[in-house]
Amino acid sequence: MTIRTSNLGCSGYSILLQIFFLSGLCLGGTTEIMVRGKTQMRRIENATSRQVTFSKRRNGLLKKAFELSVLCDAEVALIIFSPRGKLFEFTSSSMQATVERYMRHARDNNRTKPTDPNLQQMESEAATLVKKIEDLEISRRKLLGEGLGSCTLQELQQIEQQLEKSVSIIRAKKTQVFIQQIEQLKEKEKALTAENEKLCEKCGTKPWKGSNEQEENVPYDESSPSPDVETELFIGLPEGRTRRILQSN
C-alpha cells in the first residue's frame, strides 16, 4: 500500500504512520502491509525495541482518542493491555457507562437479528410439549392419590368421577375379554370333538363323550352302594376284631 503525501504535511504523515504501526505492531497483527520505504508490518523481535515502540504508539493512540472525543463530541472508550498485562485506558465520560451502553447495544442487535422461522416454530412446539408433559405428570400423580393437598372439593369430585368412569370401562373390557375367551374355547372344543369323531370312525369305535355327558346319562340306582362309607375304629388283636364282626352280623 503506497501513501501519497503531496497534500500532507510532516505532521499528517507522522499521524498516518502512527496509526498503521500501532494497529499492526502493538496489537500483534500478522498481516504484512507495505508502506513507503518498503517497511514490513510484522512483530518486532527485539524486546527493548518492541517496548519502546509500544510506549510511543500507546501515547499516540491515547492522544488521538482524546482529540476525537473533543473535536467530534464523540463518546470514546479505549482499553489497552500491555504484553505484561498492564492496563491503560481512556474514556471521554465514564468507562462503566460506556461499557454498559455497548452491552445494551449488542443485546438489542442480537434481538433484532433475523432468525430462521422454522427454528422459531420448533422452539414454540417444544415449549408447548414441555407444558403438556408437565400437566400430564400432575394429572397422573393426582390419579395415583399424590399431590392432592392443593386440590379443591370440585377438583376432588372430578378426579373421583374420572376414576369411577375408568373402573367401569375396565370392567366392561374385562367382561368382553372373558366372553371372547369362552367363545374361543367353545370353538376349540367343537374342533376337537369333530376330530375325535373322525378318529373313532377310522378305528371303528364309538366316539368318546365328555365325563359330564356320561354322568348325566347314567340312571340313578337305589341298590347301588352309597358313596358314604362308614368306618369304625378298632383297637386290639386281629382275633378280637374278627370275633366282633361275627357278633355284629
Side-chain angles (χ1 to χ4, degrees):
M1 179 178 179
T2 305
I3 301 176
R4 297 180 180 179
T5 58
S6 58
N7 296 327
L8 295 176
C10 182
S11 60
Y13 179 72
S14 176
I15 292 171
L16 290 176
L17 286 180
Q18 287 180 359
I19 293 173
F20 285 135
F21 277 97
L22 185 61
S23 62
L25 291 178
C26 298
L27 299 181
T30 57
T31 304
E32 295 184 359
I33 303 175
M34 300 301 295
V35 297
R36 190 172 182 179
K38 304 295 182 179
T39 303
Q40 295 183 353
M41 297 297 295
R42 62 184 181 182
R43 182 176 180 272
I44 300 175
E45 298 298 334
N46 186 275
T48 303
S49 301
R50 186 167 60 248
Q51 183 62 32
V52 171
T53 304
F54 173 79
S55 299
K56 292 181 179 180
R57 306 307 178 193
R58 179 201 63 207
N59 294 334
L61 185 58
L62 292 173
K63 181 179 179 181
K64 295 305 175 184
F66 171 74
E67 293 176 354
L68 180 62
S69 63
V70 173
L71 296 176
C72 302
D73 194 19
E75 185 176 357
V76 180
L78 177 63
I79 299 175
I80 302 174
F81 284 97
S82 68
R84 297 182 180 179
K86 189 176 180 180
L87 174 64
F88 301 92
E89 62 180 5
F90 167 80
T91 178
S92 59
S93 56
S94 171
M95 180 62 72
Q96 184 176 358
T98 305
V99 172
E100 290 178 354
R101 181 180 178 183
Y102 168 77
M103 296 299 294
R104 287 195 302 269
H105 183 73
R107 285 196 299 269
D108 293 339
N109 286 342
N110 291 332
R111 291 176 182 175
T112 56
K113 284 183 178 179
T115 56
D116 189 1
N118 295 330
L119 180 61
Q120 290 181 350
Q121 182 178 0
M122 292 176 63
E123 291 177 353
S124 177
E125 292 177 355
T128 304
L129 290 175
V130 169
K131 181 63 176 175
K132 288 182 179 180
I133 292 172
E134 292 177 355
D135 295 340
L136 290 174
E137 180 64 22
I138 293 172
S139 178
R140 185 189 69 84
R141 293 180 68 249
K142 289 182 179 179
L143 291 175
L144 294 175
E146 301 176 358
L148 300 176
S150 61
C151 294
T152 61
L153 179 60
Q154 184 178 1
E155 291 177 350
L156 293 174
Q157 290 177 350
Q158 291 178 356
I159 294 172
E160 183 180 7
Q161 293 175 0
Q162 186 175 359
L163 289 173
E164 290 176 353
K165 184 178 179 181
S166 300
V167 170
S168 63
I169 294 173
I170 292 171
R171 287 175 178 172
K173 182 63 178 178
K174 181 180 176 182
T175 304
Q176 183 181 359
V177 172
F178 280 159
I179 293 173
Q180 291 176 355
Q181 290 181 354
I182 292 171
E183 295 295 331
Q184 291 175 0
L185 290 174
K186 287 182 178 180
E187 294 294 332
K188 188 175 181 179
E189 182 183 7
K190 290 180 181 179
L192 292 174
T193 303
E195 186 177 357
N196 184 31
E197 291 177 355
K198 291 179 180 179
L199 292 174
C200 290
E201 289 178 359
K202 290 181 179 180
C203 297
T205 58
K206 294 182 179 180
W208 178 84
K209 296 183 179 181
S211 59
N212 293 334
E213 295 179 357
Q214 291 180 357
E215 291 178 359
E216 291 177 358
N217 294 331
V218 174
Y220 176 73
D221 187 5
E222 294 181 354
S223 62
S224 62
S226 174
D228 298 333
V229 179
E230 295 181 1
T231 59
E232 183 178 2
L233 179 63
F234 177 79
I235 300 175
L237 295 175
E239 294 81 359
R241 180 179 181 184
T242 305
R243 191 181 307 110
R244 185 174 179 180
I245 291 173
L246 294 173
Q247 289 176 0
S248 61
N249 291 334

